[in-house]
Amino acid sequence: MTHRTPAPHGSPAHSQPHGHGPHGTGHSAGGAHGNGTHSHGTASHEQDGLAELLDLDAELFAPYLASAMRSIVEAAGDVERIVDLGAGSGTGTFALLKQFPSAQVTAVDSSAHMLEQLTRSAAAKNLASRVRPLEADAGTSLPGVTDVDLVWASASMHHMDDPTATLGIIFKALRPGGVLAIAELDGMPRFLADDAVPERPGLEGRCRDALTTLHAEGVPHLGADWGALLASTGFTLEDERTENLELRPAPGGSAGLYAHGTLSRIRGALDGRIEPADLEALDTLLGAGPADVRHRDDLVVRSTRQLWIARRPTDSGS
Ligand SMILES: C[S@@+](CC[C@H](N)C(=O)[O-])C[C@H]1O[C@@H](n2cnc3c(N)ncnc32)[C@H](O)[C@@H]1O
């Protein structure tokens, strides 16, 4: 297992959220996927932090990603042309390339910085010839993308301003019979038991509640009913499932780094939104002292993940 050190407390990754991109507020409000940050205009150091969390998430939840991939293979068969929409650091792109050995992936992201990282990773894995990075706002258009067999959109659809318009763009980009898989989650993963900080019982729950308010403002489509939206756009829904995942990893590894990185990312957004005593307790968890969350042996990573698999009907024109 590789060792990475997320940006420490007090670093830019922990700074007050910033950046009001074209998608609205720049709330930094969550972990790898469940964040409320619209990436447009987000500083590159913050995106480095996000890319690192996305990689940690994929590492910890590898069995879940693998099972989602198996379901996609079942639905899509053998495919050649794939789009990873909101590709981020490329965890989905690389899983798809492994799953579909003769396919090419167009990795779409609105962040040039993310795409640079993804391109570097592709080169390091000797996969550059099978990946085409495309910088685009998928909420507006997918320029030059047509006749696609499979679109994978993981933790990206909730970032779109107008999900119905984006689904329409994806529908047109797919060939008739092509498959769209949407993966989403319920927000920031949980790590701590209610009594993990005895002097502030329920600390993490209160952080989550504050984030829920932020999400309602910054990413109102987090938690949307994608099944209904898919049907109303003309897709045929073939599979829909929700899984409550719970990991009890060995102490001292990726889970501690993931918890530290996630909580660091939300810390700035919580100023003034939770009680000062809660902020102080959170800072203690993020500090380098004996209570550092990275060294706890009682972390349980909990996250609810949802998957929708839908098809553009074969008789829907060309
Ligand atoms: C939470 S990350 C998920 C990354 C990756 N799919 C994964 O599951 O690891 C969301 C990604 O969507 C991208 N994104 C957000 N809004 C977008 C838009 N309108 N068009 C294209 N990409 C977008 C962000 O830059 C970010 O890389």
Side-chain angles (χ1 to χ4, degrees), residues 23 32-33 39-40 54 86-88 91 109-111 136-138 154-155 159-160:
H23 285 273
H33 293 109
S39 303
H40 304 281
L54 293 170
T91 57
D109 208 287
S110 52
S111 158
D137 173 359
S154 166
H159 287 284
M160 304 300 152

Side-chain angles (χ1 to χ4, degrees), residues 125-206:
K125 293 173 193 294
N126 277 328
L127 290 169
S129 62
R130 297 178 58 205
V131 179
R132 182 173 80 98
L134 175 62
E135 188 182 338
D137 173 359
T140 308
S141 68
L142 290 172
V145 179
T146 55
D147 216 19
V148 172
D149 299 308
L150 169 65
V151 174
W152 162 252
S154 166
S156 52
M157 287 303 290
H158 67 260
H159 287 284
M160 304 300 152
D161 283 339
D162 182 345
T164 304
T166 309
L167 288 174
I169 290 166
I170 296 171
F171 189 94
K172 284 200 191 98
L174 283 167
R175 64 166 169 77
V179 166
L180 165 61
I182 295 179
E184 285 285 329
L185 76 174
D186 67 334
M188 184 187 97
R190 285 139 283 168
F191 304 99
L192 300 167
D194 270 0
D195 59 356
V197 181
E199 57 285 14
R200 302 298 299 165
L203 170 68
E204 194 182 53
R206 287 190 293 282

Side-chain angles (χ1 to χ4, degrees), residues 108-129:
V108 179
D109 208 287
S110 52
S111 158
H113 188 74
M114 279 293 189
L115 287 175
E116 275 163 28
Q117 296 212 20
L118 185 152
T119 304
R120 269 199 301 276
S121 301
K125 293 173 193 294
N126 277 328
L127 290 169
S129 62

Side-chain angles (χ1 to χ4, degrees), residues 61 185-187 189-190 243-246 301-305:
F61 290 104
L185 76 174
D186 67 334
R190 285 139 283 168
E243 286 182 55
N244 296 313
L245 305 176
E246 195 172 290
V301 190
R302 295 189 175 89
S303 183
T304 299
R305 310 263 154 148

